[in-house]
Amino acid sequence: MITVKGIAVSQTYEVRQPVLRQGKPIESCFFEGDDLPTTFHYGLFENEKIQGVISVYENENILFEEKEQIQIRGMAVLEKNQRKGFGQQLVAHCEMEMMSQNKKLIWFNARVTAVGFYEKMGYSIIGNSFDIKDVGLHFVMYKKLRN
Ligand SMILES: CC(C)(COP(=O)(O)OP(=O)(O)OC[C@H]1O[C@@H](n2cnc3c(N)ncnc32)[C@H](O)[C@@H]1OP(=O)(O)O)[C@@H](O)C(=O)NCCC(=O)NCCS
């Protein structure tokens, strides 16, 4: 059985570390703003075992004029369970939650390798690619939410 639900930040490390910070210490999985009351973490569970995570932060990007923006970070699905629709379910859950909080726009820094995934979910690139040290090339991507 698949469920998506709110989780504590500590539960994200089990997925963040092997997928996003492979071979790096656990501290590399601590993101700025993780503990703020305005930050939310969601996990996808298969038979009660966590398989994927996503986090959302209240963070405005000057590229957009919308006031109610949120940033996605820490989007990851365990490698053995990628391409099974789990990532899509996590993003969809997050969008639904953010719409219910009246947020207007979702944006994030997407790894070049994940751009195709987000495009399938209706996100667009804005601007040129840029490098994030130790992680690689990224694009800013966004989607306006209907309210
Ligand atoms: C990117 C990631 C989150 C996608 O999650 P996932 O569970 O594998 O993706 P899904 O199975 O839900 O895919 C949904 C659709 O996107 C496609 N897709 C998935 N990953 C893709 C990719 N990297 N490039 C292009 N398309 C992709 C799938 O084929 C599927 O298409 P379909 O509906 O036509 O079948 C996951 O592969 C991952 O954790 N990758 C490593 C970490 C990472 O890059 N995170 C994002 C950082 S910005």
Side-chain angles (χ1 to χ4, degrees):
M1 195 182 66
I2 309 291
T3 50
V4 181
K5 60 185 180 191
I7 57 173
V9 64
S10 55
Q11 292 176 278
T12 66
Y13 306 147
E14 213 177 309
V15 183
R16 279 185 188 177
Q17 194 173 27
V19 182
L20 299 172
R21 297 289 183 270
Q22 213 171 11
K24 295 189 179 152
I26 192 80
E27 293 75 25
S28 68
C29 300
F30 304 166
F31 299 163
E32 194 185 338
D34 265 348
D35 289 323
L36 291 175
T38 48
T39 297
F40 297 90
H41 308 280
Y42 303 101
L44 180 144
F45 294 78
E46 183 181 42
N47 300 327
E48 288 168 35
K49 288 209 168 113
I50 196 158
Q51 301 298 333
V53 294
I54 189 169
S55 302
V56 290
Y57 307 76
E58 245 181 42
N59 194 11
E60 284 186 17
N61 186 321
I62 53 164
L63 285 174
F64 309 105
E65 59 189 24
E66 280 79 2
K67 282 282 163 247
E68 294 285 329
Q69 300 177 20
I70 60 128
Q71 179 183 8
I72 287 178
R73 291 195 70 192
M75 167 77 213
V77 173
L78 289 179
E79 197 172 352
K80 65 177 184 337
N81 276 320
Q82 289 175 4
R83 304 266 178 164
K84 290 184 177 175
F86 291 174
Q88 196 164 13
Q89 285 186 62
L90 276 164
V91 173
H93 184 87
C94 180
E95 289 176 359
M96 202 182 62
E97 293 279 338
M98 291 305 111
M99 276 197 260
S100 74
Q101 290 189 27
N102 226 18
K103 301 297 181 198
K104 306 283 189 233
L105 182 136
I106 296 182
W107 70 273
F108 44 83
N109 299 323
R111 292 180 181 203
V112 172
T113 49
V115 163
F117 163 72
Y118 293 118
E119 282 177 337
K120 285 210 161 156
M121 299 224 56
Y123 288 82
S124 307
I125 286 176
I126 182 167
N128 298 320
S129 66
F130 57 96
D131 191 56
I132 297 184
K133 194 173 171 289
D134 298 330
V135 189
L137 276 189
H138 287 71
F139 283 96
V140 174
M141 295 188 79
Y142 73 99
K143 183 174 177 175
K144 292 184 183 188
L145 297 174
R146 286 166 287 109
N147 277 303

